[in-house]
Amino acid sequence: MLITCENVCFGYDDKRILENVSFTVNEGERIGLIGGNGEGKTTLLKLLTRDLLPDEGRILTKSNLKIGYLEQNGGFDSDKTVFEEMRSVFSRVFSAIGELRSLEHEMAKTPFGSREYAAIAARYERLNKLIAAEDGYNAEVKIRTVLGGMGFEKMHDQVINTMSGGEKTRLKLCRLLLEQPEILFLDEPTNHLDVSTLFWLEEYLQDYRGAVFTVSHDRYFLDKTVKKIFELENNRLTTFRGNYSKYKILKAEKYEYELKEYERQQEEIASLKEYIDKNIVRATTAKSAQSRVKKLENMTMLERPLPPPKPPVFSFTFGERSEELSLSVNGLTLEAGGKRLFTDAAFEVRRGEKFAVVGENGTGKSTLIRELLKKTHPAVKWGRFVKIGYYDQENANLDGEDTVLGALWFKHTALSQTQARNLLARAKLSEEDVDKKVKSLSGGERAKLSLVLLQAENANFLILDEPTNHLDLAARESLEAALRAFEGTLLFVSHDRYFIQNLADHVLEIENGRVTAFKGSYDEFNTRKKAQAARAEEAAAAAKKTAQTPSYRSKADRAEDARKKARLKEVEISISRTEEEIAALNGEIARPEVAADYKLLTEKCARLDELHALCDGLYKEYETLL
């Protein structure tokens, strides 16, 4: 057991957030915490990490539990470079390795049998055990693996204080992965990750030794990384075994079962009461009626199960249809900040098609959308009767000083106040919300308001830039359903792979300065990408082989090539044997009987110096031969 919650209650002011929450987190578990916006997910994480204390109940943790916590925007400041900061995770190990080398020289010079000698030998043994326990000799390999997987492969020398907020959050996650706490709390870890990094993180977490407790709205991520779902709803926590897809099935079954049990009990209660009313006053049946009274009194009354909260409802309609070829792009080249994003982009979008724009962060997805919206570039041609509706991920079309009702009503004056209020209510913006100023809304509420404004446009071509940001799972699924039913044309940017798979029938990829259109679903696109990568690998291997084997070589060239290959093999074998001997010698030197024999120890330390020098020379020769 790592953590146990017992009947935990918590609230802010007079509002109860959590009510009698109880659960246990065990070693190595993979848990996903889900719930609507404002249900208390982040609050629960802060209780578990001791940033908050419960109003009632208690939280028990394993003694000296090592916790790692990634907040939603939880980066850190440092004047170190990326690689220096990650190396500091293993500072104790690197320090131990350096001290070990010094001790080897000291032991060779210290008089055998002296107290100083015995202290050095004991210290040497302890350091060796520490390095072995923490797999210290592979520390730099681990650092490079994690930094590469998280997108920092070319940023090792960048100073952290010069990075963006999203990059700092990703870097904090890198550090946590390297620290390997016993339990890792992740609050929306996928927010700042592109698709390739998401795939890498999912695979890495599958092999992670500790427990992982994740808050996420990314359904693909939950399906890949968790085996238990904790759902917060109506202030209470319910546990479901399985990933997100399994949870959806189990939740529906649970509600149906509890509803049937409640209705069955209500029927039984009605039957008992009817019998009692008819027979309680009759002498011949009074006894049996009394037994039913007792049965009714002893019955544990079931509460009618609360139906799942109704999600927001969106609906996108339009009046006039556009012509068949809605958008044509031919020869579009874009730059941003002095950097060429892509060259000669060419693609067509036809009426009713749904295009997902994908690519790594910084490839130009949002820049492409902004250029299309300008309608000024000669390479961009819009079809006749196209009416564009645009969703901006920053909600820049909202004025913070407007009220919620005003933001909609003033832009769409043809709507009656009743119509405007109905649209807002369907998006789950309540009667209380409509008089709030926009600046006081949460991220999720602002997103819903922007989607309501988009609905009111009645556009036949929707362009959406990260529309699922800030939306909870229920709102995302409702938006998906509305966009699937939309008969117009759709072009959208999203990192939500579930959302892309459920909507897109075309994928527009920006990669390596090129824009490529693919007809088919997102899964089909990924399958094709994997096949292309495999073919490219094979072609690169073949090209390398061809380059290494020229079509014409003289007899002397062939002889020299054969000599190099033979020597390269010899050097590889020598390096392997030398490293094995070094490892074995380190183990022998740490043994008490060796440490007690001054002459033997001096010989082994001298031999260790020779081997390190030999190994350095072999590596230099190896690089030359390559």
Side-chain angles (χ1 to χ4, degrees):
M1 181 278 290
L2 299 178
I3 298 177
T4 295
C5 274
E6 294 181 354
N7 300 313
V8 168
C9 301
F10 185 84
Y12 294 104
D13 299 324
D14 295 328
K15 184 180 179 184
R16 200 71 142 178
I17 302 293
L18 303 174
E19 188 76 48
N20 292 323
V21 169
S22 298
F23 60 84
T24 296
V25 181
N26 295 308
E27 287 86 349
E29 281 199 301
R30 300 289 190 271
I31 295 168
L33 177 62
I34 65 172
N37 291 336
E39 287 283 359
K41 301 184 295 296
T42 298
T43 297
L44 180 55
L45 286 191
K46 289 184 178 296
L47 286 164
L48 295 176
T49 56
R50 301 290 187 180
D51 289 343
L52 294 173
L53 296 176
D55 296 334
E56 298 174 33
R58 58 180 186 163
I59 298 174
L60 307 173
T61 60
K62 174 188 169 186
S63 178
N64 299 318
L65 179 65
K66 187 179 178 184
I67 289 175
Y69 179 29
L70 180 75
E71 299 179 76
Q72 282 194 40
N73 296 297
F76 56 95
D77 289 320
S78 172
D79 55 7
K80 295 179 182 177
T81 66
V82 168
F83 202 80
E84 285 170 347
E85 184 64 39
M86 295 305 108
R87 269 187 120 257
S88 69
V89 174
F90 301 97
S91 57
R92 190 169 70 141
V93 165
F94 289 129
S95 176
I97 292 172
E99 190 178 346
L100 207 65
R101 297 289 167 258
S102 298
L103 288 177
E104 289 166 3
H105 294 290
E106 284 185 42
M107 289 171 80
K109 299 174 187 175
T110 305
F112 175 71
S114 67
R115 286 184 180 180
E116 187 183 356
Y117 179 87
I120 293 171
R123 177 66 178 159
Y124 190 95
E125 184 178 1
R126 286 196 300 273
L127 288 172
N128 241 332
K129 287 179 179 177
L130 184 151
I131 295 165
E134 299 193 20
D135 193 21
Y137 292 111
N138 289 320
E140 290 217 358
V141 174
K142 293 176 186 176
I143 292 170
R144 292 181 188 281
T145 299
V146 170
L147 287 177
M150 292 295 289
F152 292 105
E153 187 173 7
K154 298 178 181 178
M155 301 171 71
H156 288 189
D157 297 324
Q158 185 167 343
V159 175
I160 293 167
N161 283 341
T162 66
M163 303 173 90
S164 68
E167 288 170 333
K168 288 178 181 178
T169 301
R170 277 194 291 134
L171 202 58
K172 175 68 179 292
L173 180 52
C174 289
R175 187 182 175 96
L176 288 174
L177 293 176
L178 291 169
E179 287 173 349
Q180 293 196 315
E182 291 173 86
I183 182 165
L184 193 55
F185 290 105
L186 305 175
D187 195 355
E188 297 293 354
T190 66
N191 275 359
H192 302 284
L193 307 184
D194 52 38
V195 173
S196 63
T197 307
L198 277 171
F199 282 126
W200 180 89
L201 181 59
E202 286 166 354
E203 290 182 6
Y204 191 90
L205 288 178
Q206 286 172 9
D207 296 327
Y208 187 75
R209 289 186 298 177
V212 181
F213 194 108
T214 306
V215 173
S216 181
H217 289 136
D218 188 320
R219 292 157 289 177
Y220 254 112
F221 186 78
L222 290 172
D223 270 353
K224 288 281 285 184
T225 60
V226 310
K227 296 183 179 178
K228 186 184 287 185
I229 294 289
F230 286 175
E231 181 190 43
L232 277 175
E233 188 175 274
N234 299 317
N235 306 337
R236 297 183 180 275
L237 185 139
T238 308
T239 301
F240 298 88
R241 295 205 168 273
N243 61 12
Y244 179 78
S245 294
K246 183 67 173 175
Y247 146 80
K248 293 284 288 181
I249 297 167
L250 292 177
K251 181 179 170 70
E253 290 176 350
K254 180 177 182 291
Y255 175 71
E256 289 299 322
Y257 172 77
E258 289 178 350
L259 184 61
K260 283 179 182 176
E261 285 297 296
Y262 170 79
E263 290 173 345
R264 181 195 61 75
Q265 187 182 69
Q266 290 301 303
E267 289 174 4
E268 184 182 1
I269 290 169
S271 176
L272 289 171
K273 285 182 176 179
E274 183 182 2
Y275 185 88
I276 292 165
D277 290 343
K278 288 181 179 178
N279 295 283
I280 194 70
V281 295
R282 294 181 186 174
T284 55
T285 57
K287 190 174 181 180
S288 62
Q290 283 293 344
S291 71
R292 284 167 172 77
V293 170
K294 288 182 180 177
K295 182 176 181 181
L296 202 55
E297 289 172 348
N298 293 329
M299 188 178 289
T300 302
M301 296 299 175
L302 299 176
E303 292 183 12
R304 185 182 188 91
L306 292 171
K310 289 185 178 179
V313 176
F314 304 107
S315 178
F316 299 96
T317 58
F318 58 89
E320 188 176 25
R321 295 206 314 171
S322 69
E323 69 174 323
E324 174 66 21
L325 184 58
S326 298
L327 172 64
S328 174
V329 175
N330 191 10
L332 177 63
T333 297
L334 283 184
E335 295 183 355
K339 174 189 172 186
R340 177 69 59 87
L341 297 173
F342 52 78
T343 305
D344 291 331
F347 60 91
E348 292 180 345
V349 181
R350 299 191 173 275
R351 185 179 63 230
E353 291 180 335
K354 292 179 170 63
F355 269 74
V357 184
V358 302
E360 304 299 316
N361 291 338
T363 53
K365 303 184 293 295
S366 295
T367 305
L368 170 63
I369 280 180
R370 288 192 291 270
E371 191 61 44
L372 296 177
L373 289 168
K374 288 178 186 176
K375 296 186 176 181
T376 57
H377 201 291
V380 177
K381 290 184 171 46
W382 288 95
R384 288 181 302 165
F385 314 121
V386 167
K387 184 179 181 183
I388 298 170
Y390 173 52
Y391 178 93
D392 170 26
Q393 63 171 309
E394 303 297 334
N395 306 134
N397 60 327
L398 299 177
D399 184 340
E401 295 301 323
D402 282 344
T403 65
V404 170
L405 180 59
L408 173 61
W409 206 11
F410 298 155
K411 290 181 182 178
H412 299 282
T413 52
L415 294 172
S416 69
Q417 184 173 159
T418 301
Q419 289 173 321
R421 286 178 178 273
N422 284 341
L423 278 173
L424 294 168
R426 281 163 57 86
K428 308 306 285 184
L429 291 166
S430 68
E431 192 73 25
E432 181 184 330
D433 293 328
V434 297
D435 295 322
K436 289 180 181 176
K437 286 196 171 182
V438 170
K439 65 183 180 183
S440 69
L441 298 178
S442 69
E445 289 167 336
R446 282 197 298 273
K448 290 172 188 174
L449 176 57
S450 288
L451 288 169
V452 170
L453 288 167
L454 185 64
Q455 288 178 128
E457 293 285 348
N458 288 320
N460 56 29
F461 195 120
L462 299 181
I463 297 181
L464 314 177
D465 191 3
E466 297 290 357
T468 62
N469 281 3
H470 307 296
L471 294 181
D472 58 30
L473 291 171
R476 289 183 185 210
E477 290 172 353
S478 181
L479 179 59
E480 279 172 18
L483 292 173
R484 277 200 305 271
F486 178 57
E487 294 181 356
T489 312
L490 181 63
L491 180 74
F492 67 96
V493 173
S494 180
H495 282 121
D496 187 331
R497 293 161 293 171
Y498 221 93
F499 188 81
I500 298 172
Q501 175 57 26
N502 284 343
L503 281 179
D505 52 30
H506 289 72
V507 176
L508 195 67
E509 182 189 35
I510 306 178
E511 184 182 51
N512 298 326
R514 294 182 58 201
V515 178
T516 308
F518 171 78
K519 184 177 181 180
S521 71
Y522 186 58
D523 279 350
E524 291 169 333
F525 163 76
N526 280 323
T527 300
R528 186 202 68 167
K529 287 285 291 179
K530 287 176 184 174
Q532 281 181 341
R535 287 196 296 271
E537 242 179 74
E538 290 172 6
K544 186 177 179 182
K545 188 176 180 181
T546 303
Q548 290 173 345
T549 313
S551 56
Y552 172 77
R553 292 180 300 163
S554 68
K555 187 175 180 180
D557 287 338
R558 291 197 298 272
E560 178 61 16
D561 189 43
R563 186 196 68 76
K564 278 188 177 180
K565 283 183 179 178
R567 181 55 188 160
L568 191 64
K569 192 167 184 179
E570 288 173 5
V571 170
E572 286 175 347
I573 294 169
S574 296
I575 288 172
S576 178
R577 287 176 178 169
T578 304
E579 288 180 339
E580 285 174 7
E581 191 175 348
I582 288 171
L585 263 178
N586 276 324
E588 289 175 21
I589 290 170
R591 286 161 51 195
E593 59 268 30
V594 174
D597 187 335
Y598 174 75
K599 185 178 178 183
L600 180 59
L601 183 62
T602 304
E603 290 173 0
K604 289 189 179 294
C605 284
R607 176 58 180 160
L608 198 57
D609 285 341
E610 289 174 12
L611 289 171
H612 281 303
L614 175 61
C615 202
D616 289 343
L618 287 169
Y619 268 116
K620 285 178 183 175
E621 184 180 359
Y622 185 79
E623 289 171 6
T624 303
L625 290 167
L626 282 175

Short mmCIF file of all heavy atoms in Angstrom, two decimals, residues 15-17 35-41 235 472:
data_model
loop_
_atom_site.label_atom_id
_atom_site.label_comp_id
_atom_site.label_asym_id
_atom_site.label_seq_id
_atom_site.Cartn_x
_atom_site.Cartn_y
_atom_site.Cartn_z
N LYS A 15 -19.02 25.48 -0.16
CA LYS A 15 -19.26 24.52 -1.24
C LYS A 15 -18.45 23.25 -1.03
O LYS A 15 -17.24 23.28 -0.94
CB LYS A 15 -18.88 25.15 -2.59
CG LYS A 15 -19.20 24.25 -3.78
CD LYS A 15 -18.81 24.90 -5.10
CE LYS A 15 -19.12 23.97 -6.26
NZ LYS A 15 -18.68 24.52 -7.56
N ARG A 16 -19.15 22.13 -0.92
CA ARG A 16 -18.51 20.83 -0.74
C ARG A 16 -18.00 20.33 -2.09
O ARG A 16 -18.74 20.32 -3.07
CB ARG A 16 -19.52 19.84 -0.17
CG ARG A 16 -18.92 18.64 0.49
CD ARG A 16 -18.27 18.99 1.81
NE ARG A 16 -18.48 17.95 2.82
CZ ARG A 16 -17.98 17.99 4.02
NH1 ARG A 16 -17.23 19.03 4.38
NH2 ARG A 16 -18.22 17.06 4.88
N ILE A 17 -16.73 19.94 -2.14
CA ILE A 17 -16.14 19.43 -3.38
C ILE A 17 -16.04 17.91 -3.35
O ILE A 17 -16.38 17.23 -4.32
CB ILE A 17 -14.73 20.03 -3.61
CG1 ILE A 17 -14.78 21.55 -3.64
CG2 ILE A 17 -14.12 19.49 -4.90
CD1 ILE A 17 -15.52 22.13 -4.81
N GLY A 35 -13.39 13.19 -14.56
CA GLY A 35 -14.55 13.90 -14.03
C GLY A 35 -14.72 15.21 -14.76
O GLY A 35 -13.80 15.70 -15.43
N GLY A 36 -15.90 15.80 -14.63
CA GLY A 36 -16.18 17.05 -15.31
C GLY A 36 -15.36 18.20 -14.75
O GLY A 36 -14.76 18.09 -13.67
N ASN A 37 -15.34 19.32 -15.51
CA ASN A 37 -14.65 20.52 -15.02
C ASN A 37 -15.28 20.96 -13.70
O ASN A 37 -16.50 21.02 -13.56
CB ASN A 37 -14.77 21.65 -16.04
CG ASN A 37 -13.98 21.36 -17.31
OD1 ASN A 37 -13.02 20.60 -17.28
ND2 ASN A 37 -14.38 21.97 -18.42
N GLY A 38 -14.44 21.22 -12.70
CA GLY A 38 -14.93 21.69 -11.42
C GLY A 38 -15.34 20.60 -10.45
O GLY A 38 -15.83 20.88 -9.35
N GLU A 39 -15.14 19.33 -10.83
CA GLU A 39 -15.54 18.22 -9.95
C GLU A 39 -14.54 17.98 -8.83
O GLU A 39 -14.82 17.27 -7.88
CB GLU A 39 -15.74 16.93 -10.75
CG GLU A 39 -16.99 16.90 -11.61
CD GLU A 39 -18.26 16.65 -10.80
OE1 GLU A 39 -18.17 16.48 -9.57
OE2 GLU A 39 -19.34 16.63 -11.41
N GLY A 40 -13.32 18.52 -8.94
CA GLY A 40 -12.36 18.39 -7.84
C GLY A 40 -11.16 17.50 -8.11
O GLY A 40 -10.51 17.06 -7.17
N LYS A 41 -10.84 17.27 -9.39
CA LYS A 41 -9.72 16.37 -9.72
C LYS A 41 -8.39 16.93 -9.21
O LYS A 41 -7.63 16.23 -8.53
CB LYS A 41 -9.67 16.12 -11.23
CG LYS A 41 -10.95 15.52 -11.80
CD LYS A 41 -10.82 15.22 -13.27
CE LYS A 41 -10.63 16.44 -14.12
NZ LYS A 41 -11.76 17.38 -14.10
N ASN A 235 -19.56 14.94 -6.26
CA ASN A 235 -18.76 14.99 -5.02
C ASN A 235 -18.26 13.63 -4.54
O ASN A 235 -17.61 13.55 -3.50
CB ASN A 235 -19.53 15.66 -3.87
CG ASN A 235 -20.06 17.02 -4.23
OD1 ASN A 235 -19.53 17.68 -5.12
ND2 ASN A 235 -21.09 17.46 -3.54
N ASP A 472 -13.92 19.14 -20.87
CA ASP A 472 -13.85 17.85 -20.19
C ASP A 472 -14.31 16.75 -21.14
O ASP A 472 -14.71 17.02 -22.29
CB ASP A 472 -14.66 17.86 -18.88
CG ASP A 472 -16.13 18.20 -19.10
OD1 ASP A 472 -16.67 17.89 -20.17
OD2 ASP A 472 -16.74 18.79 -18.18
#
